[in-house]
Coordinates of all heavy atoms in Angstrom, one line a residue:
L194 N 17.0 -8.6 25.9 CA 17.2 -7.6 26.9 C 16.0 -6.8 27.3 O 15.8 -6.6 28.5 CB 18.3 -6.6 26.4 CG 18.9 -5.7 27.4 CD1 19.4 -6.5 28.7 CD2 20.1 -4.9 26.8
P195 N 15.1 -6.5 26.4 CA 13.9 -5.7 26.8 C 13.0 -6.5 27.8 O 12.1 -6.0 28.4 CB 13.1 -5.4 25.5 CG 14.1 -5.6 24.4 CD 15.1 -6.6 24.9
R196 N 13.2 -7.8 27.8 CA 12.4 -8.7 28.6 C 13.1 -9.2 29.9 O 12.6 -10.1 30.6 CB 11.9 -9.9 27.8 CG 11.1 -9.4 26.6 CD 11.3 -10.3 25.4 NE 10.8 -11.6 25.7 CZ 10.7 -12.6 24.8 NH1 11.2 -12.4 23.6 NH2 10.2 -13.8 25.1
L197 N 14.3 -8.7 30.1 CA 15.0 -9.0 31.3 C 14.9 -7.8 32.3 O 15.2 -6.7 31.9 CB 16.5 -9.2 31.0 CG 16.8 -10.3 29.9 CD1 18.3 -10.3 29.6 CD2 16.4 -11.7 30.4
G198 N 14.5 -8.1 33.5 CA 14.4 -7.1 34.5 C 15.2 -7.3 35.8 O 16.1 -8.2 35.8
A199 N 15.0 -6.5 36.8 CA 15.8 -6.7 38.0 C 15.6 -8.1 38.5 O 14.4 -8.6 38.7 CB 15.3 -5.7 39.1
G200 N 16.7 -8.8 38.8 CA 16.6 -10.2 39.3 C 16.6 -11.3 38.2 O 16.8 -12.5 38.4
S201 N 16.5 -10.8 36.9 CA 16.6 -11.8 35.8 C 18.1 -12.3 35.7 O 19.0 -11.5 36.1 CB 16.3 -11.2 34.4 OG 14.9 -10.9 34.4
K202 N 18.3 -13.5 35.3 CA 19.7 -14.0 35.2 C 20.0 -14.4 33.7 O 19.1 -14.9 33.0 CB 19.8 -15.3 36.0 CG 19.0 -15.3 37.3 CD 19.9 -15.0 38.5 CE 19.1 -14.7 39.8 NZ 18.7 -15.8 40.5
V203 N 21.2 -14.2 33.3 CA 21.7 -14.7 32.0 C 22.9 -15.6 32.3 O 23.9 -15.2 32.8 CB 22.2 -13.5 31.1 CG1 22.7 -14.1 29.8 CG2 21.1 -12.5 30.9
I204 N 22.7 -16.9 32.1 CA 23.7 -17.9 32.5 C 24.4 -18.3 31.2 O 23.8 -18.9 30.3 CB 23.0 -19.1 33.2 CG1 22.2 -18.7 34.4 CG2 24.1 -20.1 33.5 CD1 23.0 -18.0 35.5
N205 N 25.7 -18.0 31.1 CA 26.4 -18.3 29.9 C 27.3 -19.5 30.0 O 28.0 -19.6 31.0 CB 27.3 -17.1 29.5 CG 26.5 -15.8 29.3 OD1 25.9 -15.7 28.2 ND2 26.5 -14.9 30.2
F206 N 27.2 -20.4 29.1 CA 28.0 -21.6 29.1 C 29.4 -21.4 28.6 O 29.7 -21.2 27.4 CB 27.3 -22.8 28.4 CG 26.3 -23.4 29.2 CD1 25.2 -22.7 29.6 CD2 26.3 -24.8 29.5 CE1 24.2 -23.3 30.4 CE2 25.4 -25.3 30.3 CZ 24.3 -24.6 30.7
S207 N 30.4 -21.4 29.6 CA 31.8 -21.2 29.3 C 32.4 -22.6 29.3 O 31.8 -23.6 29.0 CB 32.4 -20.3 30.3 OG 33.8 -20.2 30.0
S208 N 33.6 -22.7 29.7 CA 34.3 -24.0 29.8 C 35.6 -23.8 30.7 O 36.2 -22.7 30.7 CB 34.8 -24.4 28.4 OG 35.7 -25.5 28.5
Q209 N 36.0 -25.0 31.3 CA 37.3 -24.9 32.0 C 38.4 -24.6 31.0 O 39.5 -24.1 31.4 CB 37.5 -26.2 32.7 CG 37.6 -27.4 31.8 CD 37.7 -28.8 32.5 OE1 38.1 -28.8 33.7 NE2 37.4 -29.9 31.9
L210 N 38.2 -24.8 29.7 CA 39.3 -24.5 28.7 C 39.5 -23.0 28.6 O 40.4 -22.6 27.9 CB 39.0 -25.2 27.4 CG 39.4 -26.6 27.2 CD1 38.6 -27.6 28.1 CD2 39.4 -27.1 25.8
A211 N 38.6 -22.2 29.1 CA 38.7 -20.8 29.0 C 39.8 -20.3 30.0 O 40.3 -19.1 29.9 CB 37.4 -20.1 29.4
A212 N 40.1 -21.1 31.0 CA 40.9 -20.6 32.1 C 42.4 -20.7 31.8 O 42.9 -21.6 31.1 CB 40.6 -21.4 33.4
S213 N 43.1 -19.7 32.3 CA 44.6 -19.7 32.1 C 45.2 -20.8 32.9 O 46.4 -21.2 32.6 CB 45.2 -18.4 32.5 OG 44.8 -18.1 33.9
T214 N 44.5 -21.5 33.8 CA 45.0 -22.6 34.6 C 44.9 -23.9 33.8 O 45.4 -24.9 34.3 CB 44.3 -22.7 35.9 OG1 42.9 -22.6 35.7 CG2 44.7 -21.5 36.8
W215 N 44.1 -24.0 32.7 CA 44.0 -25.2 31.9 C 45.3 -25.6 31.4 O 46.0 -24.8 30.7 CB 43.0 -24.9 30.8 CG 42.9 -26.0 29.8 CD1 43.4 -26.1 28.5 CD2 42.2 -27.3 30.0 NE1 43.0 -27.2 27.9 CE2 42.3 -28.0 28.8 CE3 41.5 -27.9 31.0 CZ2 41.8 -29.3 28.6 CZ3 40.9 -29.1 30.8 CH2 41.1 -29.8 29.6
P216 N 45.8 -26.8 31.8 CA 47.2 -27.1 31.6 C 47.6 -27.7 30.2 O 48.8 -28.1 30.0 CB 47.5 -28.1 32.7 CG 46.2 -28.8 32.9 CD 45.1 -27.9 32.5
Y217 N 46.7 -27.8 29.3 CA 46.9 -28.5 28.0 C 47.0 -27.6 26.8 O 46.4 -26.5 26.9 CB 45.9 -29.6 27.8 CG 45.7 -30.5 28.9 CD1 44.6 -30.5 29.7 CD2 46.7 -31.5 29.2 CE1 44.5 -31.4 30.8 CE2 46.6 -32.3 30.3 CZ 45.5 -32.3 31.1 OH 45.4 -33.1 32.2
G218 N 47.6 -28.0 25.7 CA 47.6 -27.2 24.5 C 46.4 -27.7 23.6 O 45.5 -28.4 24.1
G219 N 46.4 -27.3 22.4 CA 45.3 -27.7 21.4 C 44.1 -26.9 21.6 O 44.0 -25.9 22.3
Y220 N 43.0 -27.3 20.9 CA 41.7 -26.6 20.9 C 41.8 -25.1 20.7 O 41.1 -24.3 21.5 CB 41.0 -26.9 22.2 CG 40.8 -28.4 22.5 CD1 41.7 -29.1 23.3 CD2 39.6 -29.0 22.0 CE1 41.5 -30.5 23.5 CE2 39.4 -30.4 22.3 CZ 40.3 -31.1 23.0 OH 40.1 -32.4 23.3
Y221 N 42.6 -24.6 19.8 CA 42.9 -23.2 19.7 C 41.7 -22.3 19.6 O 41.6 -21.3 20.3 CB 43.9 -22.9 18.5 CG 45.3 -23.5 18.7 CD1 46.2 -23.4 17.6 CD2 45.7 -24.0 19.9 CE1 47.5 -23.9 17.8 CE2 47.0 -24.5 20.0 CZ 47.9 -24.4 19.0 OH 49.1 -24.9 19.1
S222 N 40.8 -22.6 18.7 CA 39.7 -21.7 18.5 C 38.7 -21.8 19.7 O 38.2 -20.8 20.2 CB 38.9 -22.0 17.2 OG 38.4 -23.3 17.2
Y223 N 38.6 -23.0 20.2 CA 37.6 -23.2 21.4 C 38.2 -22.4 22.6 O 37.4 -21.7 23.3 CB 37.5 -24.6 21.7 CG 36.4 -25.0 22.7 CD1 35.1 -25.1 22.2 CD2 36.6 -25.2 24.0 CE1 34.0 -25.5 23.1 CE2 35.6 -25.5 24.9 CZ 34.3 -25.6 24.5 OH 33.3 -26.0 25.4
V224 N 39.5 -22.6 22.9 CA 40.0 -21.8 24.1 C 39.9 -20.3 23.9 O 39.6 -19.6 24.9 CB 41.4 -22.3 24.5 CG1 41.5 -23.7 24.9 CG2 42.4 -21.9 23.5
A225 N 40.2 -19.9 22.7 CA 40.2 -18.5 22.4 C 38.8 -17.9 22.6 O 38.6 -16.8 23.2 CB 40.7 -18.2 21.0
V226 N 37.7 -18.6 22.0 CA 36.4 -18.0 22.1 C 35.8 -18.1 23.5 O 35.1 -17.2 24.0 CB 35.4 -18.5 21.1 CG1 35.9 -18.2 19.7 CG2 35.1 -20.0 21.3
K227 N 36.1 -19.2 24.2 CA 35.5 -19.3 25.6 C 36.2 -18.3 26.5 O 35.5 -17.7 27.4 CB 35.6 -20.7 26.1 CG 34.7 -21.7 25.4 CD 33.2 -21.5 25.6 CE 32.4 -22.7 25.2 NZ 30.9 -22.4 25.2
A228 N 37.5 -18.0 26.4 CA 38.1 -17.0 27.2 C 37.6 -15.6 26.8 O 37.3 -14.8 27.7 CB 39.7 -17.0 26.9
G229 N 37.3 -15.4 25.5 CA 36.8 -14.1 25.0 C 35.4 -14.0 25.6 O 35.0 -12.9 26.0
L230 N 34.6 -15.0 25.6 CA 33.2 -15.0 26.1 C 33.2 -14.5 27.6 O 32.5 -13.7 28.0 CB 32.5 -16.3 26.0 CG 31.2 -16.4 26.7 CD1 30.1 -15.6 25.9 CD2 30.8 -17.9 26.8
N231 N 34.2 -15.1 28.3 CA 34.2 -14.8 29.8 C 34.5 -13.3 30.0 O 33.8 -12.6 30.8 CB 35.4 -15.6 30.4 CG 34.9 -17.0 30.8 OD1 33.9 -17.4 30.4 ND2 35.8 -17.7 31.6
R232 N 35.5 -12.8 29.3 CA 35.8 -11.3 29.5 C 34.7 -10.4 29.0 O 34.4 -9.4 29.6 CB 37.2 -11.0 28.9 CG 37.6 -9.6 29.3 CD 37.7 -9.5 30.8 NE 37.9 -8.2 31.3 CZ 36.9 -7.3 31.5 NH1 35.6 -7.6 31.2 NH2 37.1 -6.1 32.0
L233 N 34.1 -10.8 27.8 CA 33.0 -10.1 27.3 C 31.8 -10.0 28.3 O 31.3 -8.9 28.6 CB 32.5 -10.7 26.0 CG 31.1 -10.4 25.5 CD1 31.1 -8.9 25.1 CD2 30.7 -11.3 24.4
M234 N 31.5 -11.2 28.9 CA 30.3 -11.2 29.8 C 30.6 -10.5 31.1 O 29.7 -10.1 31.8 CB 29.8 -12.6 29.9 CG 29.0 -13.1 28.7 SD 27.6 -12.1 28.4 CE 27.1 -12.7 26.7
R235 N 31.9 -10.5 31.5 CA 32.2 -9.7 32.7 C 31.9 -8.2 32.5 O 31.4 -7.5 33.3 CB 33.7 -9.9 33.1 CG 34.0 -9.2 34.4 CD 35.1 -9.8 35.2 NE 34.6 -10.8 36.1 CZ 35.3 -11.2 37.2 NH1 36.5 -10.8 37.4 NH2 34.8 -12.1 38.0
S236 N 32.3 -7.7 31.3 CA 31.9 -6.3 31.0 C 30.4 -6.1 30.9 O 29.9 -5.1 31.5 CB 32.5 -5.9 29.6 OG 33.9 -5.8 29.7
V237 N 29.7 -7.1 30.3 CA 28.2 -6.9 30.2 C 27.6 -6.9 31.6 O 26.7 -6.2 32.0 CB 27.6 -8.1 29.4 CG1 26.1 -8.1 29.4 CG2 28.1 -7.9 27.9
A238 N 28.2 -7.8 32.5 CA 27.7 -7.9 33.9 C 27.8 -6.5 34.6 O 26.9 -6.0 35.3 CB 28.5 -8.9 34.7
I239 N 29.0 -5.8 34.4 CA 29.2 -4.5 35.0 C 28.1 -3.5 34.4 O 27.5 -2.7 35.1 CB 30.6 -4.0 34.7 CG1 31.6 -4.9 35.5 CG2 30.8 -2.6 35.0 CD1 33.1 -4.8 35.0
D240 N 27.9 -3.6 33.1 CA 27.1 -2.6 32.4 C 25.6 -2.8 32.8 O 24.8 -1.9 32.7 CB 27.3 -2.6 30.9 CG 28.7 -2.2 30.5 OD1 29.3 -1.4 31.3 OD2 29.2 -2.6 29.5
L241 N 25.2 -4.1 33.2 CA 23.8 -4.4 33.5 C 23.5 -4.3 35.0 O 22.4 -4.5 35.4 CB 23.4 -5.7 33.0 CG 23.2 -5.9 31.5 CD1 22.9 -7.3 31.1 CD2 22.1 -4.9 31.0
K242 N 24.5 -4.0 35.8 CA 24.3 -4.0 37.2 C 23.3 -3.0 37.7 O 22.4 -3.4 38.5 CB 25.7 -3.8 38.0 CG 25.7 -4.5 39.3 CD 27.2 -4.8 39.7 CE 27.2 -6.0 40.6 NZ 28.6 -6.3 41.0
D243 N 23.3 -1.8 37.1 CA 22.3 -0.9 37.6 C 20.8 -1.2 37.2 O 19.9 -0.7 37.7 CB 22.6 0.6 37.2 CG 22.7 0.7 35.7 OD1 22.6 -0.3 35.0 OD2 22.9 1.9 35.2
R244 N 20.7 -2.1 36.3 CA 19.3 -2.6 35.9 C 19.0 -3.8 36.8 O 17.9 -4.4 36.6 CB 19.3 -3.1 34.4 CG 19.6 -2.0 33.5 CD 19.2 -2.4 32.1 NE 19.9 -1.6 31.1 CZ 19.7 -1.8 29.8 NH1 18.8 -2.6 29.3 NH2 20.4 -1.0 28.9
G245 N 19.9 -4.3 37.5 CA 19.6 -5.5 38.4 C 19.6 -6.8 37.7 O 19.2 -7.9 38.2
V246 N 20.1 -6.8 36.4 CA 20.2 -8.1 35.7 C 21.5 -8.8 36.0 O 22.6 -8.2 36.0 CB 20.2 -7.8 34.1 CG1 20.3 -9.1 33.4 CG2 18.8 -7.2 33.8
I247 N 21.4 -10.1 36.4 CA 22.6 -10.8 36.9 C 23.2 -11.7 35.7 O 22.4 -12.4 35.1 CB 22.2 -11.7 38.0 CG1 21.7 -10.8 39.2 CG2 23.3 -12.7 38.5 CD1 20.7 -11.5 40.2
V248 N 24.5 -11.6 35.5 CA 25.1 -12.3 34.4 C 26.1 -13.3 35.0 O 26.9 -12.9 35.9 CB 25.9 -11.3 33.5 CG1 26.6 -12.1 32.4 CG2 24.9 -10.3 32.9
G249 N 26.0 -14.6 34.7 CA 26.9 -15.6 35.2 C 27.6 -16.4 34.1 O 27.1 -16.4 33.0
L250 N 28.8 -16.9 34.5 CA 29.6 -17.7 33.6 C 29.7 -19.1 34.2 O 30.1 -19.1 35.4 CB 30.9 -17.1 33.3 CG 30.9 -15.8 32.5 CD1 32.1 -14.9 32.8 CD2 30.9 -16.2 31.0
V251 N 29.4 -20.2 33.5 CA 29.5 -21.5 34.2 C 30.4 -22.4 33.3 O 30.3 -22.5 32.1 CB 28.2 -22.2 34.5 CG1 27.4 -21.5 35.5 CG2 27.3 -22.3 33.2
H252 N 31.2 -23.2 34.0 CA 31.8 -24.4 33.5 C 30.9 -25.5 33.8 O 30.7 -25.8 35.0 CB 33.2 -24.6 34.0 CG 33.7 -26.0 33.7 ND1 33.7 -26.5 32.4 CD2 34.2 -27.0 34.6 CE1 34.2 -27.8 32.5 NE2 34.4 -28.1 33.8
P253 N 30.2 -26.2 32.9 CA 29.2 -27.2 33.2 C 29.7 -28.5 33.7 O 28.9 -29.4 34.0 CB 28.4 -27.3 31.9 CG 29.5 -27.1 30.8 CD 30.4 -26.0 31.4
G254 N 31.0 -28.6 33.8 CA 31.6 -29.9 34.1 C 32.0 -30.6 32.8 O 31.7 -30.0 31.7
W255 N 32.8 -31.7 32.9 CA 33.0 -32.5 31.6 C 31.9 -33.5 31.6 O 31.7 -34.4 32.4 CB 34.4 -33.2 31.7 CG 34.8 -33.9 30.5 CD1 34.3 -33.7 29.2 CD2 35.6 -35.1 30.4 NE1 34.9 -34.6 28.3 CE2 35.7 -35.4 29.0 CE3 36.4 -35.8 31.3 CZ2 36.4 -36.5 28.6 CZ3 37.1 -36.9 30.9 CH2 37.2 -37.2 29.5
V256 N 31.0 -33.2 30.6 CA 29.7 -33.8 30.6 C 29.5 -34.8 29.4 O 29.9 -34.6 28.3 CB 28.6 -32.7 30.5 CG1 27.2 -33.3 30.7 CG2 28.9 -31.6 31.5
Q257 N 28.8 -35.9 29.7 CA 28.5 -37.0 28.7 C 27.5 -36.6 27.7 O 26.3 -36.9 27.9 CB 28.1 -38.3 29.5 CG 29.2 -38.9 30.3 CD 28.6 -39.7 31.5 OE1 27.5 -40.0 31.5 NE2 29.5 -40.0 32.4
T258 N 27.9 -35.8 26.7 CA 27.1 -35.4 25.6 C 27.8 -35.7 24.3 O 28.9 -36.2 24.3 CB 26.8 -33.9 25.7 OG1 28.1 -33.2 25.6 CG2 26.2 -33.5 27.0
D259 N 27.2 -35.3 23.2 CA 27.9 -35.5 21.9 C 29.2 -34.7 22.0 O 30.3 -35.2 21.5 CB 27.1 -34.9 20.7 CG 25.8 -35.7 20.5 OD1 25.8 -36.9 20.9 OD2 24.9 -35.1 19.9
M260 N 29.3 -33.6 22.6 CA 30.5 -32.8 22.7 C 31.5 -33.4 23.7 O 32.7 -33.6 23.4 CB 30.3 -31.3 23.1 CG 31.5 -30.5 23.0 SD 31.3 -28.8 23.6 CE 30.3 -28.1 22.2
G261 N 31.0 -33.8 24.9 CA 31.9 -34.3 25.9 C 32.4 -35.7 25.7 O 33.4 -36.1 26.2
G262 N 31.6 -36.5 25.0 CA 31.9 -37.9 24.8 C 31.5 -38.8 26.0 O 31.2 -38.3 27.0
E263 N 31.6 -40.1 25.7 CA 31.1 -41.1 26.7 C 32.0 -41.2 27.9 O 31.5 -41.6 29.0 CB 31.0 -42.5 26.0 CG 29.8 -42.6 25.1 CD 29.8 -43.9 24.4 OE1 30.6 -44.8 24.7 OE2 29.0 -44.1 23.5
A264 N 33.3 -40.8 27.7 CA 34.2 -41.0 28.9 C 34.1 -39.8 29.9 O 34.8 -39.8 30.9 CB 35.6 -41.1 28.3
A265 N 33.3 -38.9 29.6 CA 33.2 -37.7 30.4 C 32.9 -38.0 31.9 O 32.3 -39.1 32.2 CB 32.3 -36.6 29.8
D266 N 33.1 -37.0 32.8 CA 33.0 -37.3 34.2 C 31.5 -37.4 34.7 O 31.2 -38.1 35.6 CB 33.6 -36.1 35.0 CG 35.1 -36.1 34.9 OD1 35.7 -37.1 34.7 OD2 35.7 -35.0 35.1
I267 N 30.7 -36.5 34.2 CA 29.3 -36.4 34.8 C 28.2 -36.5 33.7 O 28.5 -36.3 32.6 CB 29.1 -35.1 35.6 CG1 29.3 -33.9 34.8 CG2 30.1 -35.1 36.8 CD1 28.9 -32.6 35.5
T268 N 27.0 -36.8 34.2 CA 25.9 -36.9 33.3 C 25.3 -35.5 33.0 O 25.4 -34.6 33.9 CB 24.8 -37.8 33.8 OG1 24.3 -37.2 35.1 CG2 25.4 -39.2 34.1
P269 N 24.5 -35.4 31.9 CA 23.8 -34.1 31.7 C 22.8 -33.9 32.9 O 22.6 -32.7 33.2 CB 23.0 -34.4 30.4 CG 23.8 -35.4 29.7 CD 24.4 -36.3 30.8
V270 N 22.3 -34.9 33.5 CA 21.4 -34.7 34.6 C 22.1 -34.0 35.8 O 21.6 -33.0 36.3 CB 20.8 -36.1 35.1 CG1 20.0 -35.9 36.4 CG2 19.9 -36.7 34.0
E271 N 23.3 -34.5 36.1 CA 24.0 -33.9 37.2 C 24.4 -32.4 36.9 O 24.3 -31.5 37.8 CB 25.3 -34.7 37.5 CG 25.1 -36.1 38.1 CD 26.4 -36.8 38.1 OE1 26.8 -37.5 37.1 OE2 27.1 -36.8 39.1
S272 N 24.9 -32.2 35.7 CA 25.3 -30.9 35.3 C 24.1 -29.9 35.3 O 24.2 -28.8 35.9 CB 25.9 -30.9 33.8 OG 26.2 -29.7 33.4
A273 N 23.0 -30.3 34.7 CA 21.8 -29.4 34.7 C 21.3 -29.2 36.1 O 20.8 -28.0 36.4 CB 20.7 -30.0 33.8
E274 N 21.3 -30.2 36.9 CA 20.8 -30.0 38.3 C 21.6 -28.9 39.0 O 21.1 -28.0 39.7 CB 20.8 -31.3 39.1 CG 19.6 -32.2 38.8 CD 19.7 -33.5 39.5 OE1 20.8 -33.8 40.1 OE2 18.7 -34.2 39.4
G275 N 22.9 -29.0 38.9 CA 23.8 -28.0 39.5 C 23.6 -26.7 39.0 O 23.6 -25.7 39.7
I276 N 23.5 -26.6 37.6 CA 23.4 -25.2 37.0 C 22.0 -24.6 37.3 O 21.9 -23.4 37.5 CB 23.6 -25.4 35.5 CG1 25.1 -25.7 35.3 CG2 23.3 -24.1 34.8 CD1 25.5 -26.2 33.9
R277 N 21.0 -25.4 37.4 CA 19.7 -24.8 37.9 C 19.8 -24.2 39.3 O 19.2 -23.2 39.6 CB 18.6 -25.9 37.8 CG 18.1 -26.1 36.4 CD 16.8 -26.8 36.4 NE 16.7 -28.0 37.2 CZ 15.9 -28.2 38.2 NH1 14.9 -27.3 38.4 NH2 15.9 -29.3 39.0
K278 N 20.5 -25.0 40.1 CA 20.6 -24.5 41.5 C 21.4 -23.1 41.5 O 21.0 -22.2 42.2 CB 21.4 -25.5 42.4 CG 21.6 -25.2 43.8 CD 22.0 -26.4 44.6 CE 22.1 -26.2 46.1 NZ 23.1 -25.2 46.5
L279 N 22.5 -23.1 40.7 CA 23.2 -21.8 40.6 C 22.3 -20.7 40.1 O 22.4 -19.6 40.6 CB 24.4 -22.0 39.6 CG 25.6 -22.8 40.0 CD1 26.6 -22.8 38.8 CD2 26.2 -22.2 41.2
A280 N 21.5 -21.0 39.1 CA 20.7 -20.0 38.5 C 19.7 -19.5 39.5 O 19.4 -18.3 39.6 CB 19.9 -20.6 37.3
R281 N 19.2 -20.4 40.4 CA 18.3 -19.9 41.5 C 19.0 -19.0 42.5 O 18.4 -18.0 43.0 CB 17.7 -21.1 42.2 CG 16.6 -21.9 41.5 CD 15.9 -22.8 42.4 NE 16.7 -23.8 43.0 CZ 17.0 -25.0 42.5 NH1 16.5 -25.3 41.3 NH2 17.8 -25.9 43.1
E282 N 20.3 -19.3 42.8 CA 20.9 -18.7 43.9 C 21.9 -17.5 43.6 O 22.4 -16.8 44.4 CB 21.7 -19.8 44.7 CG 20.7 -20.8 45.3 CD 21.4 -21.9 46.0 OE1 22.7 -22.0 45.9 OE2 20.7 -22.8 46.5
W283 N 22.1 -17.3 42.3 CA 23.1 -16.3 41.9 C 22.7 -14.9 42.3 O 21.5 -14.5 42.0 CB 23.3 -16.3 40.3 CG 24.8 -16.1 39.9 CD1 25.5 -15.0 40.2 CD2 25.6 -17.0 39.1 NE1 26.8 -15.2 39.6 CE2 26.8 -16.3 39.0 CE3 25.3 -18.2 38.5 CZ2 27.9 -16.9 38.2 CZ3 26.4 -18.8 37.7 CH2 27.6 -18.1 37.6
T284 N 23.5 -14.2 42.9 CA 23.2 -12.8 43.4 C 23.8 -11.7 42.5 O 24.8 -12.0 41.8 CB 23.6 -12.6 44.9 OG1 25.1 -12.8 44.9 CG2 23.0 -13.6 45.8
L285 N 23.3 -10.5 42.7 CA 23.8 -9.4 41.9 C 25.3 -9.1 42.3 O 26.1 -8.7 41.5 CB 22.9 -8.2 42.1 CG 23.2 -7.0 41.2 CD1 23.0 -7.4 39.7 CD2 22.2 -5.8 41.5

Side-chain angles (χ1 to χ4, degrees):
L194 193 52
R196 298 147 66 178
L197 303 174
S201 294
K202 324 259 168 86
V203 181
I204 305 296
N205 298 286
F206 278 60
S207 179
S208 167
Q209 61 187 341
L210 274 68
S213 54
T214 50
W215 173 253
Y217 306 108
Y220 301 94
Y221 290 171
S222 62
Y223 190 85
V224 298
V226 298
K227 291 295 193 186
L230 172 71
N231 277 10
R232 190 57 192 82
L233 162 66
M234 286 299 169
R235 180 154 272 198
S236 288
V237 173
I239 292 166
D240 295 337
L241 285 178
K242 213 157 203 175
D243 60 354
R244 299 191 203 184
V246 177
I247 297 158
V248 178
L250 290 152
V251 290
H252 165 53
W255 183 25
V256 190
Q257 293 153 15
T258 61
D259 293 339
M260 185 184 292
E263 288 175 5
D266 288 335
I267 61 172
T268 63
V270 173
E271 292 170 274
S272 177
E274 280 174 351
I276 291 165
R277 282 198 311 126
K278 183 168 187 292
L279 285 182
R281 283 194 300 273
E282 296 175 356
W283 217 304
T284 60
L285 193 57

